[in-house]
Amino acid sequence: LVISRSGYTTVMDLVKLGRPAVLVPTPGQAEQEYLSEHLEREQFSCRLSQNAFSLPAALRLAADFPFRQPAPDMEAYTAAVKGLVESL
């Protein structure tokens, strides 16, 4: 289990690691708040506000959350990178 902020780069690392996560968006960072809400709806991660955060609360939340890990399509990714390189 990873407990972290919900920045875009962090989320991309979590996808690659295939780890469940509790995301704690930084207050006032609209993109982190939006991303954590979206990922919770998709069941990729659960979220907890900074004001409500405690380690026991995060662990309880994660224990009951139905995590679903995305299955990245690496063939599509490879084709996209190859197309980009060829266009240069």
Side-chain angles (χ1 to χ4, degrees):
L1 176 69
V2 176
I3 300 173
S4 138
R5 295 293 187 181
S6 53
Y8 184 76
T9 303
T10 300
V11 169
M12 299 312 298
D13 289 342
L14 292 171
V15 169
K16 181 65 176 162
L17 290 171
R19 305 302 301 181
V22 176
L23 299 177
V24 183
T26 303
Q29 295 291 319
E31 70 281 0
Q32 287 192 21
E33 293 170 358
Y34 170 81
L35 192 54
S36 66
E37 290 171 10
H38 173 75
L39 294 172
E40 186 173 57
R41 280 192 307 273
E42 296 295 317
Q43 296 179 318
F44 172 75
S45 61
C46 51
R47 66 185 166 95
L48 195 58
S49 73
Q50 181 172 302
N51 291 339
F53 182 81
S54 73
L55 184 56
L59 295 175
R60 279 191 306 274
L61 182 64
D64 295 331
F65 193 79
F67 291 102
R68 291 185 331 165
Q69 296 298 315
D73 183 349
M74 292 309 291
E75 288 182 24
Y77 174 77
T78 301
V81 171
K82 182 179 179 184
L84 174 63
V85 170
E86 289 173 352
S87 73
L88 300 175

